[in-house]
Amino acid sequence: MSEAATAKRIADPGLDQSIEKLTPDRIEATILRVINQENSARLKTFVDTCVHCALCSEACHYFMSYDRNPRYAPVGKVKNTLWEMIRCKGKVSKEFIRDAAQIAYTECNLCKRCVHFCPFGIDTAYLMTIVRRICHLLGVTPQYLQDTSHSHSATFNQMWVKDDEWMDTLQWQEEEARDEFPGLRIPLDKEGADIMYSVIAPEPKFRAQLIYQAAAIFHEAGSDWTMPASPGWDNSDMAMFSGDAEMMGRLKRKHFDTARRLRVKKIVMGECGHAYRSVYDMGNRWLGYKEMPIPIIHAIQFYCELLRAGKIKVGSKIKELCTFHDPCNTVRGMGLHEMGREVARAFCPNMVEMHPNREHNYCCCAGGGVINCGPPHKMTRVHGNSIKAEQLKATGAKIVIAPCHNCHGGLEDIIHHYKLDMKLMFLGDIIFEHMQKPGAVE
Ligand code: SF4
Ligand code: SF4
Ligand code: SF4
């Protein structure tokens, strides 16, 4: 590796200690298995097509924020990981695996911005997921990320939320909400409801008020909805990011099986980008789903439908200047940028765009499981996104709307570190605070 490629090692027991168990034979066999048996035409096409032109470099917020260090260029990340594994036919050292893991897990958000800059459409995010897959099978994964993945396999949610804790939290939020909306219920396991609402585990763990807000929106819209009383309620998927494809598949199957058990007509997912990606892009493909077993939509689509149908109505408008952050997974991945703006504009007449925006928007630098790699890697991503800070600052906005949990985490850190005078909001925050509430007590 070049000096730039090895410039900085972040201590992480999941990377440093795990490589001690590796043997050359195991490394070689694992790399060859993943390259030859789990990937074929797409990988070969990308490897054979790349002309090393580096046009993808400026797509990457890490590259732009780290003084154009080639280590952080998309093509640099592939060169220092997967290409070398292929070139050496799997004969790489355990130190190489350790460094490749740091690059793939903590220096790439799998945000796919670079796909739009490559003349051949080469998908570096996909190539980094192959590196992660190899590292996962070798047991070399950042410790914090691996902990969330273990939690998924032990509890079917990423935050070790126990079943009674889940039920207690829903009951608590229902009780709180009934003070404001006397007739409100959070229906549990209601068979045959129109909608199953699923969330990510950090909601009951840290942000229970978001469940209150969602319940209020469902209530005011007159929706027939339910939440599952048993595992299958967490739609997040850190196994997708750790490279544990088997667990990713089990999680997605559980989520859909829960909806099937409840015989709901569709699933509405909360405001999370990666959870949505796990059902439309990765988990579904691993499971071989041609079609979704049950229709499934993101909260952006749901809110947009409610507004268009007049089921929720604007009560008041936000006066401050607002801007809209396009989450990679809902926008580059699923094209929900205009729907997101439609909802935002209904409540925020003073909107200003970031530049670039929509499918060219810069990532928050938290996604792809990077924020879940925990405190050891925090400053890599914060310093790796000064370009986002500049982009935000240039808008002059006081409110940033970001309909994705990870984006919130990443942008919060950016706003704090770069001392930006901005407040973050979910679309649900805005709707809850500014919709008409005929069902609420005065
Ligand atoms: S962080 Fe995004 S732009 Fe950078 S290499 Fe990864 S996928 Fe490409
Ligand atoms: S991935 Fe595409 S843009 Fe980047 S170096 Fe290769 S061919 Fe050029
Ligand atoms: S957290 Fe948000 S901006 Fe970052 S990769 Fe995920 S969707 Fe994209």
Side-chain angles (χ1 to χ4, degrees):
M1 280 190 193
S2 67
E3 193 186 332
T6 54
K8 90 196 212 276
R9 255 190 186 190
I10 307 285
D12 183 325
L15 306 181
D16 301 320
Q17 292 168 19
S18 309
I19 60 166
E20 295 312 323
K21 298 180 215 136
L22 299 181
T23 61
D25 286 352
R26 186 174 164 205
I27 293 173
E28 182 182 345
T30 304
I31 291 173
L32 294 181
R33 169 190 155 179
V34 173
I35 288 173
N36 296 328
Q37 292 173 25
E38 293 190 7
N39 297 276
S40 52
R42 193 174 171 201
L43 171 61
K44 183 166 170 26
T45 305
F46 287 163
V47 171
D48 291 349
T49 310
C50 179
V51 292
H52 306 201
C53 64
L55 285 173
C56 51
S57 304
E58 294 193 4
C60 189
H61 44 285
Y62 286 98
F63 177 82
M64 297 301 282
S65 303
Y66 278 118
D67 297 330
R68 310 171 83 84
N69 182 338
R71 173 191 174 93
Y72 299 102
V75 63
K77 296 175 203 191
V78 182
K79 178 174 177 296
N80 289 318
T81 57
L82 194 55
W83 281 349
E84 193 63 8
M85 293 178 189
I86 293 171
R87 193 183 67 79
C88 299
K89 297 190 171 53
K91 290 184 175 49
V92 294
S93 68
K94 54 189 181 183
E95 285 76 22
F96 180 94
I97 293 294
R98 192 252 174 254
D99 291 333
Q102 183 173 316
I103 293 169
Y105 285 115
T106 74
E107 296 169 18
C108 175
N109 298 100
L110 312 182
C111 78
K112 292 183 184 255
R113 188 168 192 264
C114 44
V115 179
H116 293 262
F117 286 69
C118 172
F120 308 108
I122 291 174
D123 185 350
T124 301
Y126 162 71
L127 299 174
M128 287 298 107
T129 60
I130 296 176
V131 179
R132 291 184 183 198
R133 174 71 175 157
I134 290 166
C135 294
H136 159 73
L137 291 173
L138 291 171
V140 182
T141 316
Q143 190 180 40
Y144 278 81
L145 180 64
Q146 188 56 46
D147 186 52
T148 59
S149 199
H150 283 324
S151 174
H152 276 305
S153 57
T155 66
F156 275 103
N157 72 77
Q158 67 157 287
M159 288 275 143
W160 301 95
V161 178
K162 302 271 175 38
D163 288 354
D164 57 349
E165 197 185 338
W166 166 243
M167 303 280 276
D168 277 356
T169 305
L170 295 184
Q171 200 174 359
W172 165 44
Q173 289 309 306
E174 182 184 271
E175 283 168 12
E176 295 270 314
R178 283 171 71 89
D179 287 343
E180 186 177 0
F181 303 90
L184 182 148
R185 296 294 317 271
I186 297 183
L188 281 184
D189 261 3
K190 182 182 172 192
E191 288 192 20
D194 286 344
I195 294 165
M196 180 180 101
Y197 183 55
S198 59
V199 296
I200 63 169
E203 290 207 13
K205 198 77 180 176
F206 307 120
R207 291 180 182 251
Q209 83 280 4
L210 294 178
I211 297 174
Y212 175 130
Q213 288 184 182
I217 294 169
F218 281 117
H219 178 71
E220 290 299 292
S223 303
D224 177 19
W225 69 296
T226 189
M227 294 187 90
S230 54
W233 55 263
D234 177 15
N235 56 30
S236 74
D237 203 328
M238 283 301 130
M240 171 174 78
F241 288 144
S242 70
D244 187 348
E246 292 78 6
M247 192 60 219
M248 166 181 73
R250 283 179 64 207
L251 290 169
K252 294 311 97 177
R253 196 191 300 279
K254 185 80 170 171
H255 186 226
F256 281 114
D257 281 354
T258 302
R260 267 198 282 235
R261 174 176 66 76
L262 294 174
R263 296 184 293 105
V264 296
K265 295 195 179 71
K266 70 177 167 191
I267 302 171
V268 173
M269 303 175 80
E271 288 184 65
C272 177
H274 96 269
Y276 197 42
R277 178 186 195 154
S278 74
V279 298
Y280 75 68
D281 182 25
M282 295 182 71
N284 55 324
R285 290 186 213 277
W286 178 264
L287 289 168
Y289 289 165
K290 257 172 130 178
E291 307 266 338
M292 295 297 174
I294 291 200
I296 188 160
I297 58 172
H298 188 271
I300 295 174
Q301 294 157 288
F302 181 60
Y303 296 149
C304 196
E305 284 174 9
L306 292 182
L307 274 169
R308 286 179 184 174
K311 292 189 174 169
I312 50 175
K313 296 194 173 67
V314 179
S316 60
K317 304 228 174 183
I318 294 179
K319 294 192 181 64
E320 290 109 315
L321 189 61
C322 301
T323 191
F324 188 85
H325 168 77
D326 292 285
C328 313
N329 291 316
T330 55
V331 170
R332 265 194 282 285
M334 276 305 264
L336 302 185
H337 40 278
E338 296 309 337
M339 277 191 173
R341 281 168 177 73
E342 187 175 330
V343 177
R345 282 197 199 107
F347 295 91
C348 317
N350 301 318
M351 293 283 296
V352 58
E353 289 288 358
M354 294 184 212
H355 294 285
N357 55 54
R358 295 174 168 81
E359 72 272 25
H360 294 114
N361 190 30
Y362 284 115
C363 172
C364 64
C365 208
V370 172
I371 196 168
N372 306 80
C373 292
H377 304 281
K378 178 178 173 183
M379 293 323 289
T380 304
R381 67 179 163 80
V382 171
H383 292 149
N385 215 358
S386 59
I387 190 117
K388 186 84 210 176
E390 288 166 23
Q391 189 196 28
L392 288 169
K393 195 172 178 186
T395 64
K398 293 291 174 207
I399 295 176
V400 189
I401 303 161
C404 165
H405 273 275
N406 268 8
C407 299
H408 266 244
L411 295 176
E412 250 166 28
D413 289 333
I414 299 292
I415 288 171
H416 179 74
H417 181 80
Y418 294 97
K419 299 186 173 39
L420 304 179
D421 180 22
M422 296 178 139
K423 175 176 148 189
L424 268 165
M425 294 184 87
F426 287 103
L427 285 173
D429 293 329
I430 289 175
I431 296 170
F432 173 73
E433 284 178 29
H434 296 277
M435 69 179 174
Q436 292 179 17
K437 295 175 186 166
V441 290
E442 290 298 316

